């Protein structure tokens, strides 16, 4: 077992749910502690309930967040669930109606009416997530009964781990007014040593971001990667099967096929394959001279050309897609591909144009020869 990969890929390891893995990870903590604390600046939580690493990014990105949530109100409801559980002991039971009454009393932005389905749907999604990650156990009933009717009841048990979900802040955050305030708070304790801050920021970016790009605001970080690339490569290779690729304007931590660190690109689904094919199509256009690459390697094209590229990808390769994507309209296909590429920060809209990041040209895909001619089959 690759303990570091497991620990970084999961929110936490709960003793109650996976006792064998919990003890195995805990036994390996000593070997990982120096890398996690010195290179990444991550806090470690090891107690009788769980093992957890506080995985804070160097900066927030589009793909970060709780993938199970689809609406801002679900994040609000989730925070209220955590607040509600603060006064509950581990193993203490409560009924869903007690929680819904609490949320109604605490929610100041609007009047929560549980007879309205969309409120119940959002809360059900949050409660399912809480059960999935181990914050709650269901002792009787089902969330689906509440989804169908606001009188539906469920008996929950607090596992006691909710208090470890949120990061412990060293400063009073009540005066914070923007996400930038939280970013500054992360480095406040070591602000006097810019060298430590830079090192930890660089390692976090390589580990959690698609790439480090050379820009005016990242010039210092990029210089650090170029000057210490061998040391950085050695540090990461000690725990992961990976290579550090440093180019003129970008740096990537490239994982081997057998290395899994949470969410990685490419992913194992058709939409990821589509984006790989689209990246390959972009490289074709660059070689043909239809798309120009500037000195900073940030390709800028019009919205119209971006749409044409995605349409061409669909027309050329649709035989290899699964039924869902084959049967999409052109508009639906564009929205799905664009959403995914924007989420992964492969593209960005800027001043009415589309900026395509160098990562899009770093990883491309193509079908085997004869694949499409055989109707999307190798046979």
């Amino acid at each position: 077992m690759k303990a570091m990969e497991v620990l970084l890929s999961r929110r936490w390891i709960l003793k109650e749910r996976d006792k064998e893995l919990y003890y195995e990870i805990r036994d390996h903590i000593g070997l990982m502690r120096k890398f996690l604390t010195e290179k990444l600046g991550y806090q470690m939580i090891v107690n009788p309930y769980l093992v957890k690493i506080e995985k804070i990014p160097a900066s927030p990105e589009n793909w970060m967040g709780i993938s199970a949530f689809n609406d801002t109100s679900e994040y609000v409801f989730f925070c209220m669930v955590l607040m509600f559980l603060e006064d509950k002991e581990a193993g203490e039971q409560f009924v869903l109606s007690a929680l819904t009454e609490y949320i109604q009393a605490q929610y100041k932005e609007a009047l929560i009416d549980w007879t309205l389905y969309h409120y119940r749907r959002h809360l059900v999604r949050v409660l399912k997530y809480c059960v999935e990650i181990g914050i709650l156990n269901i002792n009787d009933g089902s969330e689906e009964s509440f989804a169908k009717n606001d009188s539906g009841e469920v008996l929950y048990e607090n596992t006691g781990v909710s208090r470890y979900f949120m990061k412990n802040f060293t400063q009073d955050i009540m005066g914070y007014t923007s996400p930038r305030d939280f970013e500054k708070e992360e480095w406040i304790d070591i602000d006097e040593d810019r060298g430590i801050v830079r090192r930890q920021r660089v390692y976090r970016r390589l580990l959690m971001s698609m790439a480090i790009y050379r820009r005016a605001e990242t010039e210092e970080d990029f210089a650090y990667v170029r000057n210490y690339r061998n040391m950085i490569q050695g540090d990461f290779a000690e725990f992961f099967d990976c290579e550090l690729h440093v180019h003129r304007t970008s740096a990537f931590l490239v994982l081997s096929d057998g290395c899994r660190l949470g969410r990685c690109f490419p992913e194992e689904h058709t939409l990821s394959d589509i984006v790989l094919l689209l990246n390959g199509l972009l490289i074709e256009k660059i070689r043909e001279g239809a798309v120009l690459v500037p000195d900073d390697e940030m390709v800028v094209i019009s919205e119209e050309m971006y749409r044409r590229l995605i349409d061409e990808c669909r027309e050329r390769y649709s035989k290899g897609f699964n039924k869902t994507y084959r049967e999409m309209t052109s508009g639906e296909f564009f929205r799905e591909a664009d959403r995914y590429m924007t989420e992964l920060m492969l593209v960005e809209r800027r001043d009415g144009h589309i900026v395509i990041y160098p990562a899009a040209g770093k990883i491309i895909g193509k079908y085997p020869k004869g694949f499409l001619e055989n109707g999307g089959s190798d046979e």
Side-chain angles (χ1 to χ4, degrees):
M1 182 199 69
K2 299 177 181 179
M4 182 74 84
E5 288 184 27
V6 173
L7 198 54
L8 290 174
S9 296
R10 300 192 185 188
R11 181 170 297 280
W12 49 31
I13 309 297
L14 299 180
K15 180 181 177 182
E16 181 185 79
R17 293 203 171 181
D18 202 332
K19 186 177 292 186
E20 184 176 335
L21 181 60
Y22 165 83
Y23 282 115
E24 191 167 357
I25 293 292
R26 198 183 67 173
D27 291 342
H28 284 84
I29 286 295
L31 301 175
M32 300 182 285
R33 188 180 299 275
K34 183 177 180 181
F35 176 77
L36 290 168
T37 56
E38 292 185 9
K39 303 297 184 177
L40 293 165
Y42 285 163
Q43 297 179 22
M44 305 177 64
I45 300 174
V46 184
N47 60 38
Y49 299 102
L50 55 80
V51 179
K52 181 190 178 188
I53 302 300
E54 296 278 21
K55 298 178 282 289
I56 310 298
S59 58
E61 298 189 10
N62 293 339
W63 60 269
M64 297 175 182
I66 299 175
S67 59
F69 294 173
N70 298 326
D71 190 88
T72 304
S73 63
E74 291 165 6
Y75 285 93
V76 177
F77 285 167
F78 179 65
C79 289
M80 289 186 173
V81 171
L82 297 181
M83 292 165 58
F84 177 78
L85 294 176
E86 282 184 357
D87 296 327
K88 305 291 182 184
E89 297 294 330
E92 184 175 346
Q93 296 180 328
F94 64 91
V95 291
L96 176 56
S97 56
L99 174 61
T100 57
E101 290 172 8
Y102 176 85
I103 292 176
Q104 279 182 315
Q106 294 293 323
Y107 201 99
K108 305 300 183 184
E109 304 301 319
L111 179 63
I112 302 297
D113 183 357
W114 297 118
T115 64
L116 299 178
Y117 173 69
H118 71 273
Y119 283 125
R120 300 200 307 275
R121 184 183 73 246
H122 291 320
L123 182 58
V124 165
R125 187 173 286 123
V126 170
L127 292 171
K128 286 185 175 181
Y129 175 74
C130 290
V131 172
E132 178 187 345
I133 66 173
I135 286 177
L136 297 175
N137 288 329
I138 295 179
N139 286 349
D140 190 34
S142 167
E143 295 98 348
E144 296 305 323
S145 62
F146 178 71
K148 294 175 183 177
N149 191 300
D150 67 301
S151 63
E153 198 65 280
V154 185
L155 179 63
Y156 289 103
E157 177 186 323
N158 176 35
T159 65
V161 302
S162 62
R163 67 193 65 179
Y164 303 106
F165 186 92
M166 299 293 286
K167 179 183 183 297
N168 289 321
F169 295 100
T170 58
Q171 305 291 317
D172 183 0
I173 65 174
M174 294 305 294
Y176 289 5
T177 58
S178 72
R180 181 63 179 164
D181 293 329
F182 288 92
E183 291 183 55
K184 291 179 180 177
E185 195 275 344
E186 177 63 15
W187 313 108
I188 198 166
D189 290 338
I190 54 175
D191 195 45
E192 70 280 358
D193 193 332
R194 293 179 65 246
I196 295 176
V197 171
R198 182 175 61 170
R199 181 183 69 220
Q200 293 179 358
R201 189 173 60 230
V202 166
Y203 276 71
R204 289 185 188 188
R205 278 181 169 155
L206 287 171
L207 185 67
M208 301 187 71
S209 301
M210 186 70 77
I212 295 180
Y213 298 114
R214 186 177 183 178
R215 305 174 186 167
E217 63 271 23
T218 60
E219 187 67 44
E220 187 180 66
D221 290 356
F222 195 77
Y224 183 91
V225 173
R226 298 191 71 169
N227 293 334
Y228 298 99
R229 60 187 301 174
N230 291 335
M231 181 190 73
I232 296 171
Q233 165 73 49
D235 287 339
F236 279 110
E238 184 177 352
F239 297 99
F240 316 116
D241 188 2
C242 63
E243 292 183 3
L244 177 63
H245 292 191
V246 182
H247 305 286
R248 183 167 56 86
T249 64
S250 55
F252 303 84
L253 188 67
V254 180
L255 307 179
S256 70
D257 291 340
C259 184
R260 284 292 177 266
L261 286 176
R263 188 179 185 186
C264 300
F265 180 77
E267 299 179 276
E268 295 180 358
H269 51 61
T270 302
L271 188 53
S272 185
D273 295 342
I274 289 170
V275 171
L276 288 172
L277 293 166
L278 183 58
N279 291 347
L281 186 58
L282 174 65
I283 296 298
E284 279 187 30
K285 301 301 181 185
I286 291 173
R287 289 171 178 166
E288 293 169 359
V291 174
L292 302 179
V293 181
D295 290 341
D296 64 0
E297 297 184 318
M298 296 284 184
V299 172
V300 180
I301 60 176
S302 66
E303 177 86 26
E304 181 184 1
M305 185 172 191
Y306 179 53
R307 287 179 175 271
R308 288 203 307 268
L309 277 171
I310 293 178
D311 282 342
E312 184 176 344
C313 179
R314 174 173 174 265
E315 292 169 5
R316 186 187 296 189
Y317 301 118
S318 61
K319 286 184 180 179
F321 303 161
N322 62 26
K323 183 179 179 181
T324 299
Y325 291 96
R326 285 200 309 270
E327 296 182 350
M328 280 185 178
T329 64
S330 178
E332 291 171 337
F333 186 85
F334 172 80
R335 285 191 292 273
E336 280 294 295
D338 175 58
R339 176 193 61 77
Y340 187 63
M341 293 189 75
T342 303
E343 179 182 312
L344 293 180
M345 298 190 74
L346 293 172
V347 300
E348 177 187 10
R349 281 173 171 77
R350 189 186 303 166
D351 300 326
H353 291 79
I354 303 298
V355 179
I356 303 177
Y357 284 86
K362 179 68 174 177
I363 309 176
I364 66 174
K366 62 181 181 179
Y367 285 128
K369 187 177 181 180
F371 180 79
L372 296 177
E373 286 78 359
N374 293 327
S377 172
D378 286 319
E379 297 178 0

